[in-house]
Every structure is written in structure tokens, then in C-alpha cells.
Amino acid sequence: MRLDEAEVHARVDDILDAHEGLEGPLLPILHAVQDAFGHVPLDSLPRIAARLNLSRAEVHGVMSFYHDFRTRPHGRHVLKLCRAEACQAMGGDRLAEATQARLGIGWHQTTADGGVTLEPVFCLGLCACAPAALVDGRVVGRVDEARLERILEEVRA
Amino acid sequence: MKIYVPRDAAAKALGADEVAAAIEAEAARRGLPLTLVRNGSRGMVWLEPLVELQTEAGRVAFGPVTAADVPGLFEADWKRHPLALGLTEELPWLMMQTRLTFARCGITDPLCLEDYEAHGGFEGLHRAIAMSRAEILQEVIDSGLRGRGGAGFPTGIKWKTVSEAEASQKYIVCNADEGDSGTFADRMIMEGDPFTLIEGMTIAGLATGATRGYVYMRSEYPDAVEVMVEAVRIARAHGLLGPSVMGSGRAFDMEIRVGAGAYVCGEETSLLNSLEGKRGVVRAKPPLPALEGFLGKPTVVNNVISLASIPVIFQKGAAYYRDFGLGRSRGTIPLQIAGNVKRGGLFEIAFGMSLSQIVDDIAGGTASGRPVKAVQVGGPLGAYFPRALFDTPFCYEEFAGAEGLVGHAGIVVFDDTADMLKQARFAMEFCAIESCGKCTPCRIGAVRGMETVDRIARGDTAAIPLLTDLCATMKSGSLCALGGFTPYPVMSALTHFPDDFAPMKEAAE
């Protein structure tokens, strides 16, 4: 679904108004835009650039630097699996392989039905109950294949 | 009845919300009046969700509790249930600790100001308000507090530099970008005792003349962000933040900012760039952030635990804090014990404990029951220690002497199934993914490092000296700790576990 450009501009303008007066406002603005649309529409960048007196390239450069910002919508659910050392020590790599096989997708990909996007994450601070995952912003610890299966059933229901 | 169920993310990840809901439902079903407090975590993650019941003798702990256990707990009048662990304060894990920074964490309701004050909160700030700037600075210097983010720079000296700088505006920036695997102390204190951090930052403001503060948090910590935002709102509503802190006539206010998933933003100069709304690229030093930091103004950049340790220093005095510790590592350090361990969690103790005491006695060995092969201390940029080095005392200088680092005091344990070549490759891969791209040794070196480890994996032993040489270049030629410290895990894996890099490995398998 393509977003209407006029609508994007109107909503982005509201967000820009709400961030007036902040010191270093670009990251909070990009987060707000992503929260509003589920991603950062490319149409929004010139609008943001004009208001902050930056070039479009500068805004694009900032957006593309950070792993969190996406220019396209993700699936209906986002599963983030921790890839860092503490989770590796508890079988995180095996879990990641099993998850990819189960969903039939790789990192940063979305299942064909648009249901689940799989993202790697480097540490959720749940290192004493590893392996850890973040499912639509909800934390889950000691994830094994059985728990993962339950999570996937839950989000697909 | 009064029951405590932690709201800490680790407790939630293990089902605390479901347990809390089940307790409320069961109490309602039985018509029992219930006060349910969502406290922080006591740090015993292997027992989470750890539920506590207030009794006349004190708080009694139960854990790990699942929602399914709840009706049975009520049925057994709680105390006769097999999950009962006894009085929380008398559990060995807590009795062995010296909790200064984490004194309130897990005890109080994190967002209840009355609770905070009833447990010694704001005593430090009251004392600091009555002191001159020079006296506040001297107190921090005398405490011996060093940066708990990993670099170990004396906090008081940093503050003094900012205090003496002339500028129209100065800033206190809290580095809450706790990206190191195996570390969660920042998350726990922000979720479990957020006013401590606010109090510490306010004292930093008084000491340096900074009137504005920022907490730069990770987007990977949604629960901590929620608590901090609410805590700042409450503090402002009560006049603890604002134009006149506690009626002192001195201003300090702060804002919570959220990063966007870049590990390198834990490095202070790239954090400042990110806070300014730029790419999180590392800045060359000098100029020091203390002189030209956020928006070019003098800025204190301190880790969460450094700032959260300030209130207790002012509450109990610099000498009290300094008397804990060993050598030049003064005070306490919250160890975060993680990975393949029987008992994982947060353990605050004076500096000086040996790794074997931490891994064998406190953590109780591995969760898998297999022998410990390696322990990575200090996050993805920290060295892998073999058992032969387990007598190293946990201190800044002693760890540096063993070619390692204390870092943010995260301890990740691996059992004997770990492949250290794979871990070395991961260190390079992680550096390649997270490099900001500014300096060549890090940007290119990490990619070449991965390729070189792959050559070794294929049996090409001639690549080993190449890897050593590359690590030396990255270590001395990188602009910041990401490229500069990635050689620690790589070289320690290679030095201490040469068998995993030997060409016969493939054949043996």
C-alpha cells in the first residue's frame, strides 16, 4: 500500500511541530515518524530536512546509519532474536538456525504472508536468562525451540 | 496481604506479568485484600519471577514462581509451599553482597517517591545542596569513584574539568547505552531504582554548574525507557527537577533520549553526535567532551552506574565508600553474571574478588553441568579468560595486566562445547557490523579479520601471524574502543585456546 504523499506531509508536519525547541531533535523525530507509519517513508525526509535546515542527504545519512530505522514496513509481527555472546553460550546460534528454518527466512526478512519479520539484535540485557528474544516489544527469556513454537503460534493466531 | 512481584525486564521475560495477574485473580477469588507492589529485581535471575510476601518477620521469598503455582501458594498459606525460600534478606546470594549502589533495588516500588525517601533517598542530594561546588567535587574525588562504564577514569577529575570550564551552558549526559553482552546493571537500576540515577545526575549538575541533563538509552530496553520517562515526570512534578531543585534556587532538569540500535553509540563521542541528531560517528579526542561535548559545550559523560553510585557516596560519606575495594579500585562493583551459569544475576561486591570465586562459588558453575571452558569479562570487547587465569582479582589494573578489561563488569561463562575460533570470528564480525566507519583499522580491519579467521579455520596456519599483526594494528591504530579493543577477545582466544585454532581440528572432528 502506497501512502498518500499529502497525508505523509501533514502527519510529519504535526510531528515536527511537536518537536520544536528540542536540542538535537532529529533522532526523536525519526522515532516518532517510524512510530506513526511503521517505517520512515522516504517522502518524509525532504520535509524533515527543510524544517531542520539540513540537506536531504544529511537526514538520509542519519536515518541509514541506525539499524532501527526502516524505509519499508515490516511484517505484522517482529521477532528479534539476541545474537550476542551470553545468548551464544546458551545455544543462541542453534536457536537462530532453527528459527530461520522454521520461518523459511533469513535475517531482516519477512515471511511471504507478511506475518513475521525476523531481526537480529545484539543484547537485550537478559543475559542471565539467555537465550533472549523480543516479540513485538515484549521480552522473553530462556527461549528454546518449544517456547519459540508457542510464541510463533501466538503471534500467528 | 502485601505481595511483591518484580517489574524488571528479566522477571517479565520469565513470566512475572502473568504471575502478577494470577495473584490478583486468586486474591479476588478468595476475597482477600491485596496490595501488589511491582518492585525492581533483587538480582537473583535464576529464581525469577521471585515473589515476596510481607510477613511480621520480614519479606519471605518464593521462586521461581509460575502462574500455575499461584493457586497452590494460596492453598498452602504460602509459607508451607515448596517454593518458599525463607526470608529474602537471609538468602546467601544477598547476604554475601555489599549493596551500596543497589541498596534499594528490589526492595522499593521504583516509581514511589515516598518509598525512595523512606529508604535513604535524597539524603545525599540534601547534603550536596548544603555544600559548595568545590566541596562536592572534593567528596567525589575522595571517594575514589572511577568510571563504571569500563574506562575507569576518575569521576571527580572529569567533573572538576567541566566545573572549571567557562561556558554559557553545560550538560550532564548519562551514557545508558548499555550494549555489551553480559551486562544489565544499568537496565536493572533504571527499572528498579530510577530516582537514584536522577539524584546522581542532579548532584553532578550542582557540582559542575550544568543545568541540563540527558539520559541516552537503548531502544533495546523498552521497559527501562518506560520507567525512566515516568520517573523524570514524577521528579519534575515534585520540584526535584526544574528551575529550583528542592527549593535550593539552583536549576537542573533532564530529558530521556532513545538511541536507534547502534552499538558504537555507547562510545562517548559517538553518543554525543547521536544526541545532537547526527550519524553516530566517533569524534577524535582532543577536544575532550569535558570541554567541548554536547553541542560543543562542556559536558560530563558518565555511565549509569557511576552516576547512580553518587547518592550513596554523599549519603554515607566519601571515606565510607573508599574503604571498600582493593588497590586503586575503590568501592563496589555490580558484577553481572551471565551466559552458561547455574546462578546468574547481579552481585554487588567490593573490588578484589577472584574470577574463580565468582564463577565457581557465586555462579555455581555452568547451567549445563559441563566444565567451564572460558569466561568473557567486559562485553564483546573483553578478553576470554581460561581457568589458568581465574585467580586474577577483579580490579581495573589487575585485569589490564592480564591483557583483559573489567569493562562494565559483565561476566559471560562458556562451557567446554564453546569453539573459541568461532568466538574470535564473531568478535570481528560484530566489529564489522557495528563499526561507525570513521577510521580504517576498525572499518577495514574487522572485515579482513573475519576473512583471516576463516583462513585459519580452513587449516591455513600461515594466517595466524597475520591475524596477530592485524590485531596489533587495530589495537594501536583505531580511534575508539570498538576497533581498539576487538583484539582483546580475538587475541585472548588465540593465546589461551590454541587448540581451537589448530589445523588438526577439522580432522579430529
PDB file of all heavy atoms in Angstrom, chain A residues 40-54:
ATOM      1  N   VAL A  40       9.992   4.678   8.099  1.00  0.00           N
ATOM      2  CA  VAL A  40      10.247   6.088   7.777  1.00  0.00           C
ATOM      3  C   VAL A  40      10.043   6.264   6.277  1.00  0.00           C
ATOM      4  O   VAL A  40      10.891   5.865   5.475  1.00  0.00           O
ATOM      5  CB  VAL A  40      11.681   6.505   8.173  1.00  0.00           C
ATOM      6  CG1 VAL A  40      11.918   7.980   7.839  1.00  0.00           C
ATOM      7  CG2 VAL A  40      11.928   6.259   9.660  1.00  0.00           C
ATOM      8  N   PRO A  41       8.892   6.816   5.847  1.00  0.00           N
ATOM      9  CA  PRO A  41       8.645   6.979   4.409  1.00  0.00           C
ATOM     10  C   PRO A  41       9.675   7.940   3.813  1.00  0.00           C
ATOM     11  O   PRO A  41       9.957   8.988   4.411  1.00  0.00           O
ATOM     12  CB  PRO A  41       7.240   7.594   4.345  1.00  0.00           C
ATOM     13  CG  PRO A  41       6.652   7.446   5.715  1.00  0.00           C
ATOM     14  CD  PRO A  41       7.795   7.364   6.662  1.00  0.00           C
ATOM     15  N   LEU A  42      10.212   7.585   2.650  1.00  0.00           N
ATOM     16  CA  LEU A  42      11.234   8.444   2.032  1.00  0.00           C
ATOM     17  C   LEU A  42      10.686   9.836   1.740  1.00  0.00           C
ATOM     18  O   LEU A  42      11.418  10.825   1.776  1.00  0.00           O
ATOM     19  CB  LEU A  42      11.775   7.781   0.763  1.00  0.00           C
ATOM     20  CG  LEU A  42      12.661   6.550   1.025  1.00  0.00           C
ATOM     21  CD1 LEU A  42      13.011   5.840  -0.271  1.00  0.00           C
ATOM     22  CD2 LEU A  42      13.920   6.924   1.791  1.00  0.00           C
ATOM     23  N   ASP A  43       9.359   9.910   1.483  1.00  0.00           N
ATOM     24  CA  ASP A  43       8.722  11.208   1.242  1.00  0.00           C
ATOM     25  C   ASP A  43       8.865  12.164   2.427  1.00  0.00           C
ATOM     26  O   ASP A  43       8.719  13.379   2.281  1.00  0.00           O
ATOM     27  CB  ASP A  43       7.213  11.011   0.984  1.00  0.00           C
ATOM     28  CG  ASP A  43       6.958  10.453  -0.400  1.00  0.00           C
ATOM     29  OD1 ASP A  43       7.882  10.500  -1.219  1.00  0.00           O
ATOM     30  OD2 ASP A  43       5.830   9.972  -0.638  1.00  0.00           O
ATOM     31  N   SER A  44       9.087  11.592   3.614  1.00  0.00           N
ATOM     32  CA  SER A  44       9.132  12.451   4.798  1.00  0.00           C
ATOM     33  C   SER A  44      10.478  13.157   4.938  1.00  0.00           C
ATOM     34  O   SER A  44      10.579  14.184   5.606  1.00  0.00           O
ATOM     35  CB  SER A  44       8.852  11.618   6.056  1.00  0.00           C
ATOM     36  OG  SER A  44       9.922  10.719   6.299  1.00  0.00           O
ATOM     37  N   LEU A  45      11.511  12.608   4.295  1.00  0.00           N
ATOM     38  CA  LEU A  45      12.861  13.136   4.538  1.00  0.00           C
ATOM     39  C   LEU A  45      13.054  14.596   4.097  1.00  0.00           C
ATOM     40  O   LEU A  45      13.599  15.395   4.866  1.00  0.00           O
ATOM     41  CB  LEU A  45      13.916  12.218   3.899  1.00  0.00           C
ATOM     42  CG  LEU A  45      13.937  10.777   4.444  1.00  0.00           C
ATOM     43  CD1 LEU A  45      15.077   9.990   3.808  1.00  0.00           C
ATOM     44  CD2 LEU A  45      14.056  10.747   5.954  1.00  0.00           C
ATOM     45  N   PRO A  46      12.621  14.978   2.870  1.00  0.00           N
ATOM     46  CA  PRO A  46      12.811  16.384   2.485  1.00  0.00           C
ATOM     47  C   PRO A  46      12.064  17.344   3.417  1.00  0.00           C
ATOM     48  O   PRO A  46      12.528  18.434   3.707  1.00  0.00           O
ATOM     49  CB  PRO A  46      12.210  16.447   1.071  1.00  0.00           C
ATOM     50  CG  PRO A  46      12.046  15.053   0.611  1.00  0.00           C
ATOM     51  CD  PRO A  46      11.998  14.176   1.806  1.00  0.00           C
ATOM     52  N   ARG A  47      10.918  16.892   3.889  1.00  0.00           N
ATOM     53  CA  ARG A  47      10.104  17.701   4.794  1.00  0.00           C
ATOM     54  C   ARG A  47      10.873  17.970   6.098  1.00  0.00           C
ATOM     55  O   ARG A  47      10.926  19.081   6.593  1.00  0.00           O
ATOM     56  CB  ARG A  47       8.831  16.894   5.101  1.00  0.00           C
ATOM     57  CG  ARG A  47       7.657  17.725   5.485  1.00  0.00           C
ATOM     58  CD  ARG A  47       7.001  18.291   4.257  1.00  0.00           C
ATOM     59  NE  ARG A  47       5.863  19.113   4.641  1.00  0.00           N
ATOM     60  CZ  ARG A  47       5.199  19.868   3.796  1.00  0.00           C
ATOM     61  NH1 ARG A  47       5.556  19.915   2.537  1.00  0.00           N
ATOM     62  NH2 ARG A  47       4.180  20.581   4.211  1.00  0.00           N
ATOM     63  N   ILE A  48      11.454  16.874   6.644  1.00  0.00           N
ATOM     64  CA  ILE A  48      12.218  16.992   7.890  1.00  0.00           C
ATOM     65  C   ILE A  48      13.439  17.876   7.655  1.00  0.00           C
ATOM     66  O   ILE A  48      13.745  18.775   8.445  1.00  0.00           O
ATOM     67  CB  ILE A  48      12.663  15.590   8.387  1.00  0.00           C
ATOM     68  CG1 ILE A  48      11.433  14.723   8.706  1.00  0.00           C
ATOM     69  CG2 ILE A  48      13.562  15.710   9.610  1.00  0.00           C
ATOM     70  CD1 ILE A  48      11.758  13.254   8.946  1.00  0.00           C
ATOM     71  N   ALA A  49      14.108  17.638   6.514  1.00  0.00           N
ATOM     72  CA  ALA A  49      15.335  18.384   6.205  1.00  0.00           C
ATOM     73  C   ALA A  49      15.056  19.885   6.130  1.00  0.00           C
ATOM     74  O   ALA A  49      15.787  20.701   6.701  1.00  0.00           O
ATOM     75  CB  ALA A  49      15.925  17.881   4.894  1.00  0.00           C
ATOM     76  N   ALA A  50      13.949  20.244   5.454  1.00  0.00           N
ATOM     77  CA  ALA A  50      13.632  21.664   5.290  1.00  0.00           C
ATOM     78  C   ALA A  50      13.410  22.332   6.645  1.00  0.00           C
ATOM     79  O   ALA A  50      13.904  23.422   6.908  1.00  0.00           O
ATOM     80  CB  ALA A  50      12.389  21.815   4.415  1.00  0.00           C
ATOM     81  N   ARG A  51      12.680  21.644   7.515  1.00  0.00           N
ATOM     82  CA  ARG A  51      12.367  22.257   8.809  1.00  0.00           C
ATOM     83  C   ARG A  51      13.617  22.411   9.683  1.00  0.00           C
ATOM     84  O   ARG A  51      13.760  23.376  10.417  1.00  0.00           O
ATOM     85  CB  ARG A  51      11.320  21.397   9.543  1.00  0.00           C
ATOM     86  CG  ARG A  51      10.914  21.945  10.902  1.00  0.00           C
ATOM     87  CD  ARG A  51       9.987  23.160  10.795  1.00  0.00           C
ATOM     88  NE  ARG A  51       8.657  22.766  10.345  1.00  0.00           N
ATOM     89  CZ  ARG A  51       7.636  22.529  11.176  1.00  0.00           C
ATOM     90  NH1 ARG A  51       7.794  22.671  12.475  1.00  0.00           N
ATOM     91  NH2 ARG A  51       6.464  22.171  10.700  1.00  0.00           N
ATOM     92  N   LEU A  52      14.528  21.417   9.615  1.00  0.00           N
ATOM     93  CA  LEU A  52      15.708  21.463  10.483  1.00  0.00           C
ATOM     94  C   LEU A  52      16.885  22.191   9.827  1.00  0.00           C
ATOM     95  O   LEU A  52      17.974  22.231  10.396  1.00  0.00           O
ATOM     96  CB  LEU A  52      16.142  20.035  10.879  1.00  0.00           C
ATOM     97  CG  LEU A  52      15.115  19.195  11.639  1.00  0.00           C
ATOM     98  CD1 LEU A  52      15.729  17.856  12.036  1.00  0.00           C
ATOM     99  CD2 LEU A  52      14.605  19.915  12.876  1.00  0.00           C
ATOM    100  N   ASN A  53      16.656  22.732   8.650  1.00  0.00           N
ATOM    101  CA  ASN A  53      17.706  23.432   7.919  1.00  0.00           C
ATOM    102  C   ASN A  53      18.899  22.517   7.647  1.00  0.00           C
ATOM    103  O   ASN A  53      20.060  22.885   7.842  1.00  0.00           O
ATOM    104  CB  ASN A  53      18.143  24.698   8.680  1.00  0.00           C
ATOM    105  CG  ASN A  53      18.898  25.652   7.785  1.00  0.00           C
ATOM    106  OD1 ASN A  53      18.766  25.602   6.557  1.00  0.00           O
ATOM    107  ND2 ASN A  53      19.711  26.514   8.387  1.00  0.00           N
ATOM    108  N   LEU A  54      18.579  21.299   7.251  1.00  0.00           N
ATOM    109  CA  LEU A  54      19.610  20.325   6.877  1.00  0.00           C
ATOM    110  C   LEU A  54      19.398  19.963   5.416  1.00  0.00           C
ATOM    111  O   LEU A  54      18.341  20.238   4.849  1.00  0.00           O
ATOM    112  CB  LEU A  54      19.476  19.046   7.715  1.00  0.00           C
ATOM    113  CG  LEU A  54      19.688  19.150   9.225  1.00  0.00           C
ATOM    114  CD1 LEU A  54      19.272  17.842   9.884  1.00  0.00           C
ATOM    115  CD2 LEU A  54      21.145  19.451   9.537  1.00  0.00           C
TER     116      LEU A  54
END
